[in-house]
Amino acid sequence: DDLERLAGAIRRADTAVAVTGAGLSAPSGVPTFRGDDGIWDRFDERQFTSDRFRRDPAGFWTDRVALHRAMFDEEYEPNAGHEALAAMGWDGNLEAILTQNTDGLHGDAAGAGGERTNDGEPDVAAETETTVLELHGNSRWVRCTDCGNRRDGDPIVERAAAGELPPTCECGGVFRPDVVLFGDRLPDAVLQRARSLARESDVFLAIGSSLVVEPAASLPRLAASTGATVAIVNLEPTPCDGIAETVLREDVTAVLPRLRDLTTA
Ligand code: OAD
């Protein structure tokens, strides 16, 4: 069937690469952005632009605390989908994970604790050779807009929640979440790396993403244009279904463990 064919392609591939989106973390209890009761139903994207942050950092942080609570308040952990992808990395069957998620769950699944820097150097997870490239940064971290000092974000979010608006660094600079805001460009090094991995790939998997936000949206097409077999895992149709050899309209926690098993069979 489709899944067996895809597993065969992954086994034969020199380079398999995955791009992941909010649908992968949905079974972990992290809400998706689009769709019923999605984050952009409850919040307005304009609250979180880089422009807003510069104009009104106090208002931005008030809204950011609410967003943070809506997304990450529960104890959230990697699910069977993250674990299957990490295992495919250990097996040597997955070269890179390009994620739009800022929840750090790929790092957790790989045993790297979500540790990374946002300076364009991808995090090579401690126990694997799989590159985890967090395209939109990591919500667990903040950085100072003046001195660049990067910090564990939780205590800073707590300070903002307690009324320090905006939270500031010892140097006097304002902290910002270490994520890509609307209106920010992705760091060039990150973007270049993601594009070259897509071009290098023989198999390109798009998992749990609506594929409507750039640059992730154009990665499947880029991969296909250089000959990759594209596969999509999503409960709903995406704009890239037409170029995909395989479309698996199923839950990530059902498909990915089976896919991993078939690639090791
Ligand atoms: P979206 O919320 O746009 O899309 C989530 C996708 O996951 C949808 O297409 C769902 O059908 C699918 N899905 C949900 N649950 C699933 C499951 N259990 N199994 C399989 N598929 C499932 O999320 P992203 O595509 O990641 O950007 O959104 C991209 C970017 O838009 C985000 O990174 C964020 C947002 O605005 C920024 O904040 C800069």
Side-chain angles (χ1 to χ4, degrees):
D1 67 351
D2 276 355
L3 202 61
E4 273 169 19
R5 215 156 23 101
L6 176 59
I10 291 172
R11 273 202 311 260
R12 287 188 303 274
D14 284 332
T15 308
V17 172
V19 65
T20 66
L24 179 62
S25 295
S28 295
V30 181
T32 61
F33 292 96
R34 295 169 186 80
D36 285 346
D37 209 29
I39 285 295
W40 301 139
D41 254 9
R42 291 182 262 167
F43 296 88
D44 185 335
E45 288 184 11
R46 286 169 301 185
Q47 293 169 282
F48 304 103
T49 62
S50 51
D51 220 39
R52 165 101 194 279
F53 174 75
R54 276 189 297 270
R55 258 191 350 257
D56 176 19
F60 172 94
W61 266 105
T62 302
D63 293 336
R64 178 74 195 178
V65 168
L67 180 76
H68 205 87
R69 299 240 147 113
M71 291 195 70
F72 306 120
D73 214 20
E74 306 289 314
E75 274 293 310
Y76 62 101
E77 291 178 354
N79 63 54
H82 298 100
E83 277 156 13
L85 291 176
M88 286 171 67
W90 293 320
D91 297 338
N93 280 326
L94 190 61
E95 177 85 12
I97 298 171
L98 318 177
T99 189
Q100 297 168 90
N101 300 340
T102 66
D103 54 35
L105 289 178
H106 283 298
D108 289 352
E115 198 90 32
R116 90 176 278 283
T117 58
N118 202 18
D119 54 10
E121 285 305 311
D123 175 37
V124 176
E127 319 221 342
T128 82
E129 310 243 316
T130 305
T131 299
V132 177
L133 207 53
E134 292 178 317
L135 301 174
H136 292 167
N138 191 319
S139 288
R140 294 184 188 172
W141 296 84
V142 296
R143 68 172 192 265
C144 172
T145 47
D146 280 355
C147 71
N149 182 357
R150 197 178 283 110
R151 275 293 172 76
D152 179 9
D154 277 347
I156 307 300
V157 171
E158 286 317 312
R159 276 162 51 184
E164 186 188 335
L165 292 167
T168 53
C169 179
E170 289 78 51
C171 83
V174 176
F175 280 122
R176 59 164 281 167
D178 197 12
V179 300
V180 172
L181 300 174
F182 294 103
D184 281 336
R185 286 161 42 107
L186 257 68
D188 264 338
V190 173
L191 189 56
Q192 293 316 323
R193 187 82 199 278
R195 291 210 169 117
S196 72
L197 282 161
R199 276 193 297 263
E200 267 169 47
S201 66
D202 311 298
V203 175
F204 191 86
L205 307 166
I207 299 167
S209 173
S210 57
L211 299 174
V212 299
V213 174
E214 292 295 347
S218 46
L219 294 175
R221 249 169 251 285
L222 183 60
S225 75
T226 55
T229 297
V230 172
I232 292 176
V233 181
N234 197 307
L235 291 174
E236 290 169 10
T238 78
C240 293
D241 290 3
I243 58 151
E245 186 146 312
T246 310
V247 177
L248 300 161
R249 203 149 289 163
E250 282 181 78
D251 189 289
V252 288
T253 59
V255 173
L256 296 175
R258 264 160 45 218
L259 181 62
R260 191 264 167 153
D261 286 348
L262 288 169
T263 56
T264 54

